[in-house]
């Protein structure tokens, strides 16, 4: 027993890996970013800014230690903050009440953990690349529009994020000179540091420190972190959830969890694990669940995988999960020891660097965007619609729309790809004995002959009209046999497929012909028997699947030829 525990501990330590110097630097940069960004997101959504600050402590540490996507940083995002505010407002609860925030965060964590335990991460595989690309680009635009005011001093108007961007560009004259200059210098210093290969991992930190020092020395009049809220010199303390709010937040907790998980789902494809291990969506669901369950008890707002904060960490040189752990620990130390210094970070500095991060996220998606545009019109339309929905609708609605679009794409592609292929035995040759070739299905069955068709599809009801149109006509098919291989048919096909098989078998029988199904799996065989389809096919009308790929087909052909020999009327002798 003791050896088993030791072995498990060793495997856990091996999974955590060893922290690197670049992880410490990256964690420090990410932790510093969490101060103004977390407070700003919470403030914009009407929460106590300190709750946004604390979302970068416990959730970041727990999430990074347990996540299957190594570099993912779990913390507050603008989308989660805005969705949480909407949920509490709909429930008639005060967003600044610590008990309400705690119970919402814990409930969101419970939903995430439940979805991970039930392995519902597979649902995300039904979200197409086109939809996820549009969603990720829309989120990146939301990140950019969320800091336009910090970067230029002008807050764009309008609910539509695209409209806000155009409004911001149209009011260049209203930008504050000092604020814009500080943001521009920040971006310029970042670009200069980025140009030096050795400084690339710390380019963000260099730009933040140098610009902040310059603003302090020149006494430039710009907004500082302390103008949002004071940073308490204390670690987050235990906060009991207000359980009386649970009945009012059940549906809302699912909405917030869905927004958070959908955002996090886009991180793994964008940030593959440097150690070569594979990400696991269900593992990430559980990780974010743990982060919220614990963070909710220590004054944190609902959290999830943050694309912007993960982008900051990666840009600063993150190589292992320890970067996220360090970010949480470093943030706690800064709050505890140097909160007054962190309060002096200029908001235009944060705005400029977040613009850089958002721009890099969009630039990093350029290949996916071009790929989708070159793939098909349907995929392109789905990507554009999802992008527009993400910029114009509440995120929970945009996610639902994106999921529906993904399902429509899947259904359309499944229906379009389903087909019947005729199999014809090739002439015997020494170098290729007994081989088969594919060809188009015949328009009609020829009396007294055996026709072999192979079904390729998912039995989805939308594809069946296409399949039925490809089935050969049965008029006058006396003595004809159609052998249909259904190895690709699911164990539990749609009821419409069973009706189609029964209907075709009856029509063919009425014309004096026969249908034989081969390659039938056991579960499908039981279903055919319960539905009465097996009785319509008669003895020998179903040939079960075997490990041999062509074994059932040979058995079906032998049965078909025997039946044809018995039921084909003798041909009259040719006239003399």
């Amino acid at each position: 027993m003791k050896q088993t525990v030791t072995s498990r501990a060793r495997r856990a330590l091996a999974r955590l890996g060893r922290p690197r110097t670049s992880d410490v630097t990256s964690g420090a940069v990410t932790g510093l970013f969490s101060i103004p960004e977390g407070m700003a997101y919470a403030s914009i959504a009407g929460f106590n800014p300190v709750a946004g600050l604390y979302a970068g402590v416990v959730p970041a540490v727990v999430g990074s230690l347990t996540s299957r996507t190594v570099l993912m940083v779990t913390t507050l995002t603008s989308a989660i903050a805005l969705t949480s505010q909407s949920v509490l407002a709909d429930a008639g609860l005060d967003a600044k009440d610590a008990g309400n925030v705690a119970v919402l965060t814990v409930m969101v964590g419970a939903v995430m953990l439940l979805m991970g335990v039930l392995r519902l991460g597979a649902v995300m595989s039904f979200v197409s690349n086109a939809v996820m690309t549009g969603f990720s680009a829309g989120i990146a635009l939301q990140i950019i529009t969320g800091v336009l005011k910090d970067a230029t001093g002008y807050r764009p108007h309008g609910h539509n994020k695209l409209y806000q961007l155009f409004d911001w560009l149209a009011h260049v004259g209203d930008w504050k000179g000092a604020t814009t200059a500080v943001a521009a210098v920040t971006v310029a210093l970042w670009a200069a540091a980025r140009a030096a290969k050795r400084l690339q991992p710390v380019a963000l930190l260099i730009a933040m420190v140098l610009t902040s020092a310059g603003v302090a020395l020149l006494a430039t009049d710009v907004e500082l972190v302390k103008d949002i809220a004071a940073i308490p010199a204390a670690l987050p303390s235990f906060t009991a959830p207000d359980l009386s709010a649970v009945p009012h937040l059940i549906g809302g907790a699912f909405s917030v969890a869905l927004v958070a998980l959908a955002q996090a789902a886009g991180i793994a494809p964008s940030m593959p694990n440097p150690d070569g291990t594979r990400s696991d969506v269900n593992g990430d669901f559980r990780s974010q669940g743990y982060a919220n369950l614990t963070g909710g008890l220590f004054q944190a707002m609902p959290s999830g995988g943050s694309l912007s904060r993960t982008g900051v960490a990666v840009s600063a040189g993150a190589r292992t999960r320890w970067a996220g752990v360090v970010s949480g620990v470093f943030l706690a130390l800064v709050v505890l020891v140097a909160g007054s210094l962190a309060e002096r970070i200029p908001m235009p500095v944060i705005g400029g660097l977040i613009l850089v991060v958002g721009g890099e996220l969009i630039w990093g998606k350029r290949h996916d965007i071009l790929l989708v545009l070159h793939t098909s019109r349907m995929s392109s339309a789905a990507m554009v619609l999802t992008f527009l929905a993400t910029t114009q609708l509440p995120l929970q609605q945009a996610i639902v729309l994106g999921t529906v679009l993904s399902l429509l794409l899947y259904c359309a592609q499944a229906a379009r790809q389903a087909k019947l292929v005729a199999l014809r035995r090739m002439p015997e040759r020494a170098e290729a004995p007994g081989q088969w070739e594919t060809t188009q299905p015949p328009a009609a069955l020829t009396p007294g002959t055996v026709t072999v068709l192979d079904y390729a599809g998912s039995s989805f009801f939308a594809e069946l009209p296409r399949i039925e149109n490809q089935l050969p006509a049965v008029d006058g098919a006396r003595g004809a046999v159609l052998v249909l291989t259904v190895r690709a048919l699911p164990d539990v096909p749609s009821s419409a497929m069973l009706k189609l098989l029964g209907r075709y078998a009856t029509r063919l029988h009425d014309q004096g012909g026969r249908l034989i199904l081969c390659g039938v799996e056991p579960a499908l065989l039981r279903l055919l028997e319960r539905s009465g389809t097996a009785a319509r096919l008669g003895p020998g009308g179903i040939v079960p699947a075997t490990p041999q790929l062509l074994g059932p087909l040979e058995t079906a052909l032998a049965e078909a030829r025997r039946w044809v020999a018995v039921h084909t009327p003798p041909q009259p002798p040719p006239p003399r």
Side-chain angles (χ1 to χ4, degrees), residues 42-189:
S43 179
I44 291 172
F47 290 89
N48 185 340
V50 176
L53 176 68
Y54 286 154
V57 180
V58 174
V61 173
V62 175
S64 293
L65 286 175
T66 58
S67 175
R68 294 296 296 274
T69 300
V70 171
L71 301 180
M72 184 171 72
V73 178
T74 303
T75 186
L76 178 66
T77 70
S78 59
I80 296 175
L82 293 171
T83 307
S84 299
Q85 188 276 334
S86 176
V87 166
L88 289 173
D90 290 343
L93 299 174
D94 183 6
K96 292 188 177 181
D97 183 274
N100 292 336
V101 176
V103 72
L104 176 61
T105 306
V106 169
M107 290 178 67
V108 168
V111 171
M112 291 174 164
L113 182 59
L114 179 63
M115 293 181 69
V117 170
L118 296 178
R119 305 193 66 79
L120 296 181
V123 175
M124 299 307 298
S125 63
F126 286 93
V127 180
S128 69
N129 178 63
V131 167
M132 188 56 70
T133 299
F135 184 75
S136 299
I139 289 295
L141 181 61
Q142 285 213 14
I143 292 171
I144 290 174
T145 56
V147 296
L148 293 179
K149 189 264 181 182
D150 293 330
T152 61
Y154 173 76
R155 186 186 301 277
H157 301 285
H159 175 71
N160 184 321
K161 300 303 179 183
L162 284 174
Y163 184 85
Q164 289 181 10
L165 182 61
F166 293 140
D167 179 74
W168 177 72
L169 292 172
H171 289 82
V172 175
D174 294 328
W175 296 1
K176 293 182 180 180
T179 302
T180 305
V182 171
V185 170
T186 303
V187 175
L189 287 174

Side-chain angles (χ1 to χ4, degrees), residues 259-304:
V259 169
L261 295 176
Q263 281 189 285
I267 295 177
S270 303
M271 312 289 182
N273 293 341
D275 58 3
T277 59
R278 297 183 62 180
S279 298
D280 176 53
V281 177
N282 294 303
D284 288 342
F285 280 14
R286 295 191 296 271
S287 169
Q288 293 169 82
Y290 300 142
N292 280 282
L293 284 171
T294 53
L297 300 177
F298 292 93
Q299 297 181 273
M301 288 178 59
S303 304

Side-chain angles (χ1 to χ4, degrees), residues 423 453-458 484-491 517-522 524 543-554:
L423 301 180
L453 296 181
D454 180 68
Y455 167 74
S458 60
L484 181 62
T485 64
V486 292
R487 180 178 291 271
L489 198 66
D491 290 346
L517 302 180
C518 75
V520 178
E521 298 291 343
L524 177 58
V543 180
T546 65
Q548 295 180 335
L549 185 61
L550 297 179
L553 178 57
E554 297 296 343

